[in-house]
Amino acid sequence: GGLAELVRLAEMTKRVGSVIYPDSVPPALGDAATALGTLALMSDEDGVFRGVRSSSPSAGSSPHPPIGLSIASFVSKTTTAIKPGVIGSQLRFVGRWNNSPFPTHVFADVWDAIQNRDRDQLANTFRGKVVIIFSQGSKQPTLSTPWELAVPGEFLHAILSNAVLTN
């Protein structure tokens, strides 16, 4: 939508006050966000992603922690540091990508509820939840986990947030 839409989205982001964007967004959105996080995740030497090893950014070139960790930090109102023994050397994987334990919603259905001002449906669906929006057609690379060969990075960010918030 152009500059006007970007400005409008930045204003709404500030007003909501709880939006975390990937660090690849335009600066106007980054400045309006509650926090930023990198979408990049690094696997272990054997090519398998098992977890984040420290509080330092895992992407190498990004000064931000993985977005899943930024989300958990905001929700839990703690720092993004992962303390030894809290998560351990491996994340607790709560499910597989093929049968995700996290509910998903078609954006068009959510948008219809917003356009129809169906506050009850939106509240019943999202109240008290962490909402992570990713494009289904995302170009994010897949990573291997101890249980699956090709898992989208988006799912791993949700796993990371869940592991921090439920430990």
Side-chain angles (χ1 to χ4, degrees):
L3 181 60
E5 293 300 316
L6 181 63
V7 169
R8 186 169 173 222
L9 182 57
E11 289 170 356
M12 291 303 296
T13 297
K14 281 183 185 177
R15 188 164 38 167
V16 169
S18 59
V19 177
I20 299 170
Y21 283 121
D23 57 6
S24 58
V25 296
L29 290 181
D31 292 343
T34 302
L36 297 173
T38 182
L39 292 174
L41 294 169
M42 292 184 66
S43 58
D44 293 341
E45 289 179 9
D46 63 358
V48 175
F49 178 81
R50 293 180 179 85
V52 178
R53 299 287 175 235
S54 70
S55 60
S56 63
S58 70
S61 64
S62 175
H64 301 102
I67 198 165
L69 200 54
S70 293
I71 292 166
S73 176
F74 174 76
V75 172
S76 66
K77 297 175 178 41
T78 63
T79 63
T80 57
I82 295 179
K83 297 169 184 65
V86 174
I87 294 179
S89 61
Q90 180 170 297
L91 289 176
R92 184 167 48 94
F93 287 83
V94 295
R96 296 178 183 270
W97 168 243
N98 291 348
N99 56 350
S100 174
F102 307 116
T104 59
H105 302 278
V106 176
F107 184 77
D109 296 341
V110 175
W111 187 249
D112 286 345
I114 292 168
Q115 295 295 93
N116 294 329
R117 292 180 165 69
D118 191 344
R119 294 181 186 268
D120 290 337
Q121 178 187 353
L122 293 167
N124 290 337
T125 304
F126 299 112
R127 181 177 285 131
K129 307 285 191 295
V130 172
V131 178
I132 303 174
I133 301 172
F134 285 106
S135 169
Q136 187 175 22
S138 172
K139 301 278 188 277
Q140 283 296 103
T142 59
L143 294 171
S144 294
T145 70
W147 295 275
E148 295 177 275
L149 291 177
V151 177
E154 296 90 334
F155 181 69
L156 294 175
H157 284 292
I159 291 285
L160 178 57
S161 292
N162 183 70
V164 172
L165 292 171
T166 59
N167 266 321

